[in-house]
């Protein structure tokens, strides 16, 4: 008998402009039958934006989504979080990624990775130190 595959629990961190494009992609994956992930949390300093994202996810996915105003709240509350998709303003990528990586969470961050090379180095070091993955998303539109 085949082992049941683990469902990957994700958080959306930053619920502004680019996050909407990411959410559209996740919605399309679910509509096409992909069931190996769940978005379980939405995080934004503007909590009303996080709540709006949570409502949208609940509408197309059918499961509850928790909302938080900070990554600290997320890490203190979500005990089974596997990954986070960071779509915050560029200047926050480094801070949010390092906090999540230190918390043992795999991170996907929208480009640019950070705003300078030392911040990029910090992010790579945090991933290595904590045994988690750091992935940078860079779409090329043709």
């Amino acid at each position: 008998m085949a082992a049941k595959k683990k469902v990957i629990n994700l958080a959306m961190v930053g619920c502004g402009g680019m996050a909407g494009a990411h959410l559209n992609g996740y919605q399309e994956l679910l509509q096409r039958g992909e069931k190996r992930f769940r978005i379980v949390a939405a995080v934004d300093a503007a909590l009303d934006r996080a709540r709006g994202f949570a409502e949208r996810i609940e509408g197309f996915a059918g499961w509850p989504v928790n909302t938080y105003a900070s990554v600290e709240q997320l890490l203190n509350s979500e005990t089974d979080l596997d990954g986070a998709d960071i779509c915050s303003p560029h200047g926050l990528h480094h801070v949010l990624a390092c906090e999540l990586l230190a918390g043992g969470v795999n991170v996907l961050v929208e480009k640019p990775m950070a705003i300078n090379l030392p911040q990029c180095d910090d992010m790579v070091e945090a991933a290595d130190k904590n045994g988690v993955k750091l992935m940078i998303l860079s779409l090329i539109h043709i």
Side-chain angles (χ1 to χ4, degrees), residues 18-31:
M18 185 51 72
H22 287 225
L23 196 53
N24 289 341
Y26 290 127
Q27 182 175 2
E28 184 175 341
L29 286 170
L30 289 170
Q31 288 171 339

PDB file of all heavy atoms in Angstrom, residues 18-31:
ATOM      1  N   MET A  18       1.652  42.015  -6.027  1.00  0.00           N
ATOM      2  CA  MET A  18       2.183  40.804  -6.651  1.00  0.00           C
ATOM      3  C   MET A  18       1.600  39.547  -6.014  1.00  0.00           C
ATOM      4  O   MET A  18       1.478  38.517  -6.668  1.00  0.00           O
ATOM      5  CB  MET A  18       3.715  40.787  -6.553  1.00  0.00           C
ATOM      6  CG  MET A  18       4.351  39.616  -7.275  1.00  0.00           C
ATOM      7  SD  MET A  18       3.824  39.372  -9.002  1.00  0.00           S
ATOM      8  CE  MET A  18       4.622  40.747  -9.798  1.00  0.00           C
ATOM      9  N   ALA A  19       1.216  39.632  -4.763  1.00  0.00           N
ATOM     10  CA  ALA A  19       0.636  38.467  -4.093  1.00  0.00           C
ATOM     11  C   ALA A  19      -0.638  38.007  -4.797  1.00  0.00           C
ATOM     12  O   ALA A  19      -0.936  36.815  -4.830  1.00  0.00           O
ATOM     13  CB  ALA A  19       0.346  38.791  -2.631  1.00  0.00           C
ATOM     14  N   GLY A  20      -1.363  38.943  -5.387  1.00  0.00           N
ATOM     15  CA  GLY A  20      -2.569  38.571  -6.122  1.00  0.00           C
ATOM     16  C   GLY A  20      -2.261  37.676  -7.312  1.00  0.00           C
ATOM     17  O   GLY A  20      -2.992  36.722  -7.597  1.00  0.00           O
ATOM     18  N   ALA A  21      -1.152  37.947  -7.999  1.00  0.00           N
ATOM     19  CA  ALA A  21      -0.745  37.099  -9.125  1.00  0.00           C
ATOM     20  C   ALA A  21      -0.378  35.709  -8.628  1.00  0.00           C
ATOM     21  O   ALA A  21      -0.725  34.706  -9.262  1.00  0.00           O
ATOM     22  CB  ALA A  21       0.423  37.731  -9.869  1.00  0.00           C
ATOM     23  N   HIS A  22       0.329  35.637  -7.508  1.00  0.00           N
ATOM     24  CA  HIS A  22       0.683  34.333  -6.940  1.00  0.00           C
ATOM     25  C   HIS A  22      -0.584  33.574  -6.554  1.00  0.00           C
ATOM     26  O   HIS A  22      -0.710  32.380  -6.821  1.00  0.00           O
ATOM     27  CB  HIS A  22       1.588  34.504  -5.722  1.00  0.00           C
ATOM     28  CG  HIS A  22       2.973  34.912  -6.058  1.00  0.00           C
ATOM     29  ND1 HIS A  22       4.079  34.335  -5.480  1.00  0.00           N
ATOM     30  CD2 HIS A  22       3.456  35.839  -6.911  1.00  0.00           C
ATOM     31  CE1 HIS A  22       5.180  34.892  -5.970  1.00  0.00           C
ATOM     32  NE2 HIS A  22       4.815  35.821  -6.835  1.00  0.00           N
ATOM     33  N   LEU A  23      -1.509  34.289  -5.928  1.00  0.00           N
ATOM     34  CA  LEU A  23      -2.749  33.648  -5.499  1.00  0.00           C
ATOM     35  C   LEU A  23      -3.546  33.131  -6.696  1.00  0.00           C
ATOM     36  O   LEU A  23      -4.122  32.042  -6.629  1.00  0.00           O
ATOM     37  CB  LEU A  23      -3.579  34.629  -4.679  1.00  0.00           C
ATOM     38  CG  LEU A  23      -4.694  34.033  -3.841  1.00  0.00           C
ATOM     39  CD1 LEU A  23      -4.193  32.914  -2.934  1.00  0.00           C
ATOM     40  CD2 LEU A  23      -5.373  35.113  -3.022  1.00  0.00           C
ATOM     41  N   ASN A  24      -3.526  33.871  -7.797  1.00  0.00           N
ATOM     42  CA  ASN A  24      -4.187  33.383  -9.013  1.00  0.00           C
ATOM     43  C   ASN A  24      -3.580  32.059  -9.457  1.00  0.00           C
ATOM     44  O   ASN A  24      -4.293  31.146  -9.880  1.00  0.00           O
ATOM     45  CB  ASN A  24      -4.078  34.408 -10.138  1.00  0.00           C
ATOM     46  CG  ASN A  24      -4.926  35.631  -9.905  1.00  0.00           C
ATOM     47  OD1 ASN A  24      -5.861  35.628  -9.115  1.00  0.00           O
ATOM     48  ND2 ASN A  24      -4.582  36.713 -10.598  1.00  0.00           N
ATOM     49  N   GLY A  25      -2.268  31.951  -9.379  1.00  0.00           N
ATOM     50  CA  GLY A  25      -1.601  30.703  -9.752  1.00  0.00           C
ATOM     51  C   GLY A  25      -1.970  29.553  -8.838  1.00  0.00           C
ATOM     52  O   GLY A  25      -2.232  28.434  -9.310  1.00  0.00           O
ATOM     53  N   TYR A  26      -1.998  29.815  -7.534  1.00  0.00           N
ATOM     54  CA  TYR A  26      -2.399  28.762  -6.594  1.00  0.00           C
ATOM     55  C   TYR A  26      -3.841  28.331  -6.850  1.00  0.00           C
ATOM     56  O   TYR A  26      -4.162  27.146  -6.807  1.00  0.00           O
ATOM     57  CB  TYR A  26      -2.248  29.237  -5.143  1.00  0.00           C
ATOM     58  CG  TYR A  26      -0.817  29.409  -4.697  1.00  0.00           C
ATOM     59  CD1 TYR A  26      -0.388  30.604  -4.131  1.00  0.00           C
ATOM     60  CD2 TYR A  26       0.112  28.377  -4.814  1.00  0.00           C
ATOM     61  CE1 TYR A  26       0.919  30.767  -3.713  1.00  0.00           C
ATOM     62  CE2 TYR A  26       1.420  28.536  -4.395  1.00  0.00           C
ATOM     63  CZ  TYR A  26       1.823  29.732  -3.841  1.00  0.00           C
ATOM     64  OH  TYR A  26       3.116  29.891  -3.421  1.00  0.00           O
ATOM     65  N   GLN A  27      -4.711  29.298  -7.129  1.00  0.00           N
ATOM     66  CA  GLN A  27      -6.110  28.973  -7.414  1.00  0.00           C
ATOM     67  C   GLN A  27      -6.209  28.092  -8.651  1.00  0.00           C
ATOM     68  O   GLN A  27      -6.950  27.102  -8.662  1.00  0.00           O
ATOM     69  CB  GLN A  27      -6.919  30.259  -7.604  1.00  0.00           C
ATOM     70  CG  GLN A  27      -8.389  30.010  -7.854  1.00  0.00           C
ATOM     71  CD  GLN A  27      -9.196  31.305  -7.931  1.00  0.00           C
ATOM     72  OE1 GLN A  27      -8.658  32.408  -7.829  1.00  0.00           O
ATOM     73  NE2 GLN A  27     -10.497  31.163  -8.108  1.00  0.00           N
ATOM     74  N   GLU A  28      -5.454  28.426  -9.679  1.00  0.00           N
ATOM     75  CA  GLU A  28      -5.482  27.621 -10.904  1.00  0.00           C
ATOM     76  C   GLU A  28      -4.990  26.200 -10.634  1.00  0.00           C
ATOM     77  O   GLU A  28      -5.560  25.228 -11.139  1.00  0.00           O
ATOM     78  CB  GLU A  28      -4.638  28.262 -11.999  1.00  0.00           C
ATOM     79  CG  GLU A  28      -4.713  27.520 -13.311  1.00  0.00           C
ATOM     80  CD  GLU A  28      -3.982  28.210 -14.448  1.00  0.00           C
ATOM     81  OE1 GLU A  28      -3.709  29.421 -14.358  1.00  0.00           O
ATOM     82  OE2 GLU A  28      -3.687  27.505 -15.436  1.00  0.00           O
ATOM     83  N   LEU A  29      -3.941  26.062  -9.837  1.00  0.00           N
ATOM     84  CA  LEU A  29      -3.452  24.723  -9.490  1.00  0.00           C
ATOM     85  C   LEU A  29      -4.540  23.902  -8.805  1.00  0.00           C
ATOM     86  O   LEU A  29      -4.749  22.729  -9.139  1.00  0.00           O
ATOM     87  CB  LEU A  29      -2.219  24.814  -8.587  1.00  0.00           C
ATOM     88  CG  LEU A  29      -0.923  25.239  -9.252  1.00  0.00           C
ATOM     89  CD1 LEU A  29       0.142  25.532  -8.206  1.00  0.00           C
ATOM     90  CD2 LEU A  29      -0.440  24.165 -10.221  1.00  0.00           C
ATOM     91  N   LEU A  30      -5.232  24.517  -7.865  1.00  0.00           N
ATOM     92  CA  LEU A  30      -6.314  23.804  -7.168  1.00  0.00           C
ATOM     93  C   LEU A  30      -7.437  23.432  -8.133  1.00  0.00           C
ATOM     94  O   LEU A  30      -7.967  22.324  -8.075  1.00  0.00           O
ATOM     95  CB  LEU A  30      -6.849  24.646  -6.012  1.00  0.00           C
ATOM     96  CG  LEU A  30      -5.915  24.789  -4.817  1.00  0.00           C
ATOM     97  CD1 LEU A  30      -6.444  25.841  -3.850  1.00  0.00           C
ATOM     98  CD2 LEU A  30      -5.721  23.463  -4.108  1.00  0.00           C
ATOM     99  N   GLN A  31      -7.789  24.353  -9.027  1.00  0.00           N
ATOM    100  CA  GLN A  31      -8.854  24.074  -9.996  1.00  0.00           C
ATOM    101  C   GLN A  31      -8.475  22.940 -10.941  1.00  0.00           C
ATOM    102  O   GLN A  31      -9.345  22.231 -11.434  1.00  0.00           O
ATOM    103  CB  GLN A  31      -9.186  25.342 -10.793  1.00  0.00           C
ATOM    104  CG  GLN A  31      -9.917  26.372  -9.968  1.00  0.00           C
ATOM    105  CD  GLN A  31     -10.057  27.706 -10.685  1.00  0.00           C
ATOM    106  OE1 GLN A  31      -9.329  28.033 -11.621  1.00  0.00           O
ATOM    107  NE2 GLN A  31     -11.002  28.510 -10.209  1.00  0.00           N
TER     108      GLN A  31
END
